[in-house]
Amino acid sequence: MVCGVIKDHGFNTLPYIKAEWANLCRAYLVEARWFYSGYIPTVDEYLENACISVGGHAAMVHAYILQGCTLTNDSLDCIKRSSDLIYWSSLITRLSDDLGTEEAESERGDVAKSIRCYMVHEGVPEVEAKHRIKEKISYSWKKLNKEIAKNSLPKSIVKMSLNMARTAQCIFQHGDGIGTSTGVMKDRLSSLIVIPIPI
């Protein structure tokens, strides 16, 4: 990807790509340490790391670079200025994922997700923990919309951030829309791609 951008635009994006992958790998390492030590983080610890490990910021940097816009240090630095926008979008993505995949991931012994963190550290039942996650998603949408209203960010980054959050909610609103081959998402994809439209 970096070579293609250098060839097409004469701009070296490697430092930006390396920085994003380093951040993402550090977040994965934190989760691996939690998993292997049996540690269940507090909700705040979990969310601080989860907003990175969900990959939203890394995805935004890659997508922005691949759009084919004129790339400069200033244009890529706008992503840093968009960090609150990307943070709230990433939080919506992570929490939506947690709501949709918690049961399956818990059964296979994955690292504790936000629901488990609430249950353990706040002493609430699963239903209450899920309710709190939904409230946090709603609050995050308000914060995301507030960032968008500032109107000082490039439209492409705003659209990518909105679409990431919207897509996550769509994929995970009826359970794990990625990790399973059954359910609502399978039916939606089949109706879009496989089942012919009657004439």
Side-chain angles (χ1 to χ4, degrees):
M1 183 174 111
V2 171
C3 291
V5 172
I6 289 172
K7 181 181 171 190
D8 295 344
H9 300 281
F11 185 77
N12 184 10
T13 57
L14 186 60
Y16 295 93
I17 300 294
K18 281 174 65 173
E20 290 307 321
W21 278 101
N23 288 337
L24 190 59
C25 289
R26 274 192 293 275
Y28 289 161
L29 188 57
V30 167
E31 289 183 356
R33 286 183 181 134
W34 289 343
F35 176 79
Y36 284 107
S37 69
Y39 178 70
I40 297 176
T42 65
V43 175
D44 290 339
E45 285 175 316
Y46 174 80
L47 293 178
E48 182 181 333
N49 191 67
C51 283
I52 300 166
S53 70
V54 75
H57 205 277
M60 295 296 161
V61 169
H62 285 71
Y64 188 74
I65 289 170
L66 291 171
Q67 282 186 51
C69 306
T70 302
L71 296 173
T72 64
N73 287 324
D74 288 340
S75 69
L76 285 168
D77 285 343
C78 75
I79 293 176
K80 290 179 186 171
R81 293 191 307 272
S82 306
S83 62
D84 286 342
L85 176 80
I86 296 170
Y87 169 82
W88 293 113
S89 179
S90 295
L91 187 59
I92 292 165
T93 300
R94 169 49 67 202
L95 294 175
S96 298
D97 179 307
D98 287 358
L99 282 174
T101 63
E102 193 272 336
E103 185 177 326
E105 290 178 351
S106 180
E107 286 175 9
R108 70 174 178 247
D110 203 343
V111 68
K113 302 296 183 201
S114 57
I115 297 165
R116 177 79 40 215
C117 296
Y118 266 115
M119 292 171 64
V120 169
H121 290 284
E122 307 274 332
V124 297
E126 184 176 353
V127 172
E128 175 64 20
K130 287 181 177 181
H131 176 72
R132 290 188 187 185
I133 297 297
K134 290 175 185 174
E135 286 178 337
K136 200 169 266 303
I137 290 171
S138 179
Y139 175 78
S140 299
W141 271 112
K142 291 175 186 174
K143 297 297 277 187
L144 179 62
N145 289 332
K146 185 176 180 182
E147 286 299 314
I148 292 167
K150 288 180 180 177
N151 206 15
S152 63
L153 302 168
K155 286 184 181 182
S156 61
I157 293 175
V158 169
K159 286 175 77 174
M160 287 187 293
S161 296
L162 268 173
N163 287 336
M164 182 173 74
R166 289 173 178 157
T167 301
Q169 283 211 291
C170 178
I171 289 171
F172 297 111
Q173 68 183 340
H174 299 291
D176 187 353
I178 293 177
T180 63
S181 59
T182 60
V184 174
M185 282 309 294
K186 178 184 177 189
D187 296 341
R188 286 181 179 167
L189 289 172
S190 293
S191 72
L192 284 171
I193 299 168
V194 179
I195 301 169
I197 299 172
I199 300 177

